[in-house]
Amino acid sequence: QVTLRETGPALVKPTQTLTLTCTFSGFSLSSSGMCVSWVRQPPGKALEWLGRIDWDDDIYYSTSLKTRLTISKDTSGNQVVLAMTNVDPADTATYYCARATLDRPYHNMDVWGKGTTVTVSS
Amino acid sequence: QTVVTQEPSLSVSPGGTVTLTCGLTSGSVSTSEYPSWYQQTPGQAPRTLIYKTNSRSSGVPDRFSGSILGNKAALTITGAQADDDSHYYCMLYLGRGTWVFGGGTKLTVL
């Protein structure tokens, strides 16, 4: 059974760096065709795709956020980390990670975590 | 900047058929944008319904189907049920490894 869980701080101050961890089980990010995506959703607003890390270490970012995002993986620990620098109240959102199966360029986000809510406020 | 467009809201009667669309502010949507569709109810994580235009995700009932209609991607729900009352989002591939969601459609079943 594939599961994913997002963890991180519930409250972050403006200008700080937000670091979120996606811990997963039931699959290996070292296996061909696997990847993990990040998606967020501000309160009452639409989903926003943030980025993706692939089994072979290819990484892709949202065009609008790429200067602020870093996605990395810890294969041995079954974790993927999302770091977002210089956060702003507009980054207040629920952040989701999802397992995806990859057949470039498309990926199918077939299993989602429950999400973690982050508030950016001083 | 290219934006992905969806109807803000639609309604359907129980048992009826409804089609949600997903377009681009510049250009047409084809299978090359690999459209996918997601259902989300309040407080829940999204659920993937359709990927790569018309492939149903595991466990998704066949009353949900994806297609290209004209210059847009489409999600058709046939025989709508009360629990289809949700938000629906499409996502498109815009090249160079980047993907963008639409603004979502609130579907009301009444």
Side-chain angles (χ1 to χ4, degrees):
Chain A
Q1 180 189 5
V2 174
T3 63
L4 304 98
R5 180 170 58 98
E6 307 87 349
T7 54
L11 181 65
V12 182
K13 290 181 170 27
T15 75
Q16 288 185 336
T17 295
L18 167 66
T19 301
L20 298 174
T21 300
C22 175
T23 303
F24 56 86
S25 63
F27 72 99
S28 171
L29 198 46
S30 297
S31 298
S32 176
M34 292 292 114
C35 57
V36 171
S37 289
W38 286 94
V39 172
R40 72 176 179 179
Q41 185 172 39
K45 295 189 177 181
L47 300 172
E48 181 180 15
W49 185 83
L50 300 179
R52 187 185 92 204
I53 185 165
D54 296 350
W55 66 280
D56 57 0
D57 295 331
D58 278 358
I59 304 173
Y60 304 92
Y61 297 108
S62 159
T63 300
S64 60
L65 290 168
K66 62 183 177 182
T67 61
R68 298 174 52 212
L69 294 178
T70 303
I71 298 175
S72 59
K73 63 175 178 173
D74 173 6
T75 306
S76 60
N78 282 357
Q79 293 182 326
V80 171
V81 175
L82 174 75
M84 177 182 291
T85 61
N86 193 27
V87 296
D88 176 88
D91 297 312
T92 294
T94 297
Y95 287 76
Y96 298 97
C97 63
R99 192 279 295 265
T101 55
L102 178 65
D103 185 6
R104 289 193 180 113
Y106 93 89
H107 61 290
N108 173 26
M109 295 184 285
D110 57 354
V111 184
W112 293 69
K114 294 183 187 299
T116 187
T117 298
V118 178
T119 299
V120 179
S121 174
S122 54
Chain B
Q1 180 183 355
T2 300
V3 173
V4 178
T5 62
Q6 297 184 247
E7 300 87 357
S9 62
L10 290 170
S11 62
V12 62
S13 299
T17 296
V18 63
T19 297
L20 291 65
T21 68
C22 177
L24 288 169
T25 53
S26 56
S28 300
V29 177
S30 70
T31 56
S32 298
E33 280 69 44
Y34 302 97
S36 51
W37 293 89
Y38 306 84
Q39 179 190 50
Q40 188 183 35
T41 52
Q44 300 297 314
R47 170 197 183 197
T48 304
L49 297 175
I50 301 288
Y51 63 97
K52 208 169 64 168
T53 307
N54 55 14
S55 296
R56 263 186 299 277
S57 202
S58 178
V60 173
D62 60 7
R63 67 175 186 274
F64 294 93
S65 62
S67 64
I68 299 293
L69 288 180
N71 61 353
K72 294 184 178 181
L75 173 71
T76 300
I77 305 173
T78 305
Q81 300 182 359
D83 61 2
D84 297 335
D85 192 303
S86 295
H87 279 89
Y88 292 84
Y89 296 93
C90 68
M91 187 175 76
L92 299 177
Y93 179 60
L94 296 191
R96 298 183 181 180
T98 63
W99 299 77
V100 178
F101 280 99
T105 296
K106 174 62 177 78
L107 179 68
T108 300
V109 180
L110 51 71

